[in-house]
Amino acid sequence: MRRLIGDNATDLEAAVMKIVCDRVGKQRDEVRAGAAYKALAAIPLARGPLERRPPTFEDEMAEVRFAFDRLGLFSDRQVPKTNGGFIIDSLCSVLTDKMSIRAHERDFNIMTHRVTAHFPSKNKTRVFQSTLTYRGKDNHNTATAVTVGLPVGVTAQLILDGGLSSKRGLIDPTDPDLYRPVLAVMEKEGIKMVEEVFDVPN
């Protein structure tokens, strides 16, 4: 288990364990002794759109554990304390070392919103899913930079063009006068959510 040394010492394993304990309503020793906890590493992680069922709690925890292992967050290697002395800075140094985009690489953004709804009158359960995928052009024009910066730039241009002149004060991002023109420009750039609806077997 990785430990951050100095004043910002922490234990990520304990933090993950607390989340698990809170979720299942059991004590640490009970969770450690449970078959579900021991089986997390062995749970298959392939939960793509072809598998038409909502992910279970064990699925989600297995993915978290896999990601932590991949990033080296469970290793014993010490991370030097950063100048600011904050845990997040130490974590960022680990992620920068593992996840920096090199000259020959491109990033790839994936975002999924999934809502499960049960309809008692029809005794049906449906999953409504929206998925966005976008690949960066190179290590400068990254998918992260474009998907974060483009909405801000379009909004700024919209204000300069007087498109929001009728608005006063703080404008909510769910305002159609704001998000519709932003989404229209993003769609032209190939940035669009794909909507899916599928039934969950009873």
Side-chain angles (χ1 to χ4, degrees):
M1 184 63 226
R2 177 182 302 281
R3 292 182 181 274
L4 307 180
I5 65 172
D7 296 334
N8 56 344
T10 189
D11 187 340
L12 289 176
E13 184 180 24
V16 173
M17 179 58 69
K18 184 179 186 303
I19 294 173
V20 176
C21 292
D22 291 345
R23 181 71 177 266
V24 301
K26 295 182 179 180
Q27 298 299 315
R28 181 187 182 101
D29 291 342
E30 292 180 292
V31 173
R32 279 197 177 281
Y37 179 82
K38 295 178 180 179
L40 281 180
I43 294 175
L45 300 179
R47 303 296 177 191
L50 295 179
E51 187 167 350
R52 299 305 194 190
R53 70 172 182 81
T56 64
F57 172 65
E58 285 75 16
D59 295 338
E60 295 174 356
M61 289 307 300
E63 292 178 4
V64 170
R65 179 169 179 168
F66 174 79
F68 277 24
D69 281 339
R70 184 75 180 270
L71 293 172
L73 298 179
F74 287 128
S75 75
D76 293 325
R77 185 172 67 88
Q78 291 182 325
V79 178
K81 184 173 68 173
T82 59
N83 292 333
F86 295 107
I87 295 173
I88 188 64
D89 293 334
S90 297
L91 177 60
C92 284
S93 70
V94 175
L95 299 183
T96 300
D97 180 55
K98 295 279 186 177
M99 303 175 66
S100 293
I101 300 177
R102 292 165 176 80
H104 66 284
E105 295 177 330
R106 295 186 296 164
D107 66 338
F108 186 63
N109 284 5
I110 303 174
M111 179 172 65
T112 298
H113 296 161
R114 185 183 294 117
V115 176
T116 302
H118 180 67
F119 301 89
S121 61
K122 298 180 180 180
N123 193 29
K124 284 189 176 182
T125 301
R126 284 185 172 177
V127 175
F128 298 81
Q129 180 171 291
S130 299
T131 305
L132 166 71
T133 60
Y134 187 73
R135 184 179 295 279
K137 295 179 174 61
D138 51 49
N139 64 327
H140 294 293
N141 299 294
T142 65
T144 302
V146 173
T147 54
V148 172
L150 185 59
V152 177
V154 174
T155 302
Q157 189 63 55
L158 187 63
I159 294 172
L160 293 173
D161 293 342
L164 298 175
S165 58
S166 62
K167 306 293 181 178
R168 294 290 183 271
L170 184 65
I171 304 174
D172 196 298
T174 58
D175 189 321
D177 292 336
L178 175 59
Y179 73 77
R180 283 176 179 165
V182 171
L183 291 181
V185 174
M186 295 186 72
E187 185 172 348
K188 289 180 180 179
E189 295 295 326
I191 306 172
K192 181 183 178 180
M193 301 293 288
V194 176
E195 309 290 341
E196 293 180 285
V197 180
F198 51 89
D199 294 325
V200 178
N202 293 326

